[in-house]
Amino acid sequence: MTANNPLLEIQTPALVLDECRMVRNIARLRERMLKLGVLLRPHMKTAKSVDVARRQLEGGVGPATVSTLREAEVLFAAGVKDILYAVGIAPGKLARVLALRAAGCDLKIILDSFEQAEVAVDAARAAQVKIPALIEIDSDGHRGGVAPDEDALIEIGSVLHAEGMLAGVVTHAGESYNVAGHAAHVEFAERERHAVVAAAARLRAAGLPCPIVSAGSTPTAHAAQNLDGVSEVRAGVYVFF
């Protein structure tokens, strides 16, 4: 570094970004999803920045994915209304979920058990509202979720649908980060797609609605060759790599 380098004046710790590279990363995935015909729902947990979110989100207002309710609250205050809270819901978080929805935020939750569904339904019924919920599908045998062929899928869906709260299915192939090479990521992307689309088909065959079919991770979003049956893709790491 030289004496006239402005980086020397920054108080640390501080985040310094290459803005041009970040903007290229954002545009690259957005254009890819447009070509594949699916909605992009960027994950905000990587950047944790309203300024970056405004660049990632269409018109700066959504749709968005978060991993904490604090992220949801900050984004909602900044004008983002369509938010997916993509962590399995815990009973202690439902009061904040209800508060956000009462304030006008279209906040959706995810869950993967009959017990979670019952707790969410009870909380919504007590508040005389609906909480849109997506059932998490296990697409890689590693993270949370129910398998597409499990009986629990229909049982959970039925509990949610009885209260008008079944919003769809969601999956995340987290194990895609543990393989290397384009061919391996293509395989993971198809595994992810197949699992969530199969789950949606089972729900519909049982007479249950499944409007949202959500998949995605940065590796699979960039590798996917076919997203037939998927309605939206989530990714977050792509913004910085």
Side-chain angles (χ1 to χ4, degrees):
M1 290 186 181
T2 61
N4 63 353
N5 190 326
L7 291 177
L8 294 176
E9 305 302 319
I10 296 175
Q11 294 297 310
T12 58
L15 173 65
V16 180
L17 297 177
D18 182 329
E19 183 179 11
C20 291
R21 187 173 295 181
M22 180 185 74
V23 169
R24 286 199 302 270
N25 289 342
I26 291 171
R28 178 184 170 199
L29 188 59
R30 179 181 292 150
E31 290 165 5
R32 193 166 201 283
M33 293 300 101
L34 280 173
K35 289 178 181 178
L36 288 169
V38 297
L39 179 72
L40 177 61
R41 182 185 288 275
H43 208 311
M44 300 292 105
K45 70 178 180 181
T46 300
K48 291 187 183 290
S49 163
V50 170
D51 289 337
V52 175
R54 290 190 173 121
R55 296 166 186 262
Q56 287 181 269
L57 305 178
E58 291 293 336
V61 297
T65 309
V66 299
S67 60
T68 71
L69 289 175
R70 180 59 181 157
E71 292 169 7
E73 289 160 352
V74 170
L75 285 175
F76 178 58
V80 181
K81 292 186 176 181
D82 182 355
I83 301 175
L84 174 64
Y85 175 38
V87 174
I89 193 64
K93 301 294 180 71
L94 285 166
R96 289 172 75 184
V97 169
L98 288 167
L100 277 162
R101 289 197 59 81
C105 180
D106 180 14
L107 183 68
K108 304 169 187 66
I109 63 173
I110 74 169
L111 48 83
D112 65 358
S113 74
F114 186 84
E115 292 78 10
Q116 284 174 302
E118 285 193 314
V119 169
V121 163
D122 288 345
R125 190 183 294 130
Q128 298 184 319
V129 298
K130 309 293 183 187
I131 305 174
L134 284 77
I135 304 172
E136 185 175 8
I137 306 303
D138 184 359
S139 59
D140 62 7
H142 173 67
R143 299 175 69 90
V146 298
D149 58 354
E150 280 188 66
D151 292 341
L153 175 67
I154 305 303
E155 294 168 358
I156 296 168
S158 298
V159 170
L160 295 173
H161 180 55
E163 292 296 321
M165 289 172 43
L166 179 57
V169 288
V170 57
T171 194
H172 172 67
E175 286 290 278
S176 65
Y177 285 95
N178 294 331
V179 300
H182 182 66
H185 287 142
V186 167
E187 181 182 348
F188 254 104
E190 178 55 25
R191 185 189 308 181
E192 184 181 58
R193 186 198 73 84
H194 182 269
V196 76
V197 169
R202 279 198 68 215
L203 288 170
R204 291 166 182 154
L208 301 171
C210 191
I212 300 174
V213 182
S214 183
S217 67
T218 290
T220 58
H222 276 290
Q225 304 297 297
N226 168 24
L227 288 173
D228 290 350
V230 173
S231 63
E232 66 176 37
V233 165
R234 307 174 326 281
V237 174
Y238 77 96
V239 68
F240 295 154
F241 278 113

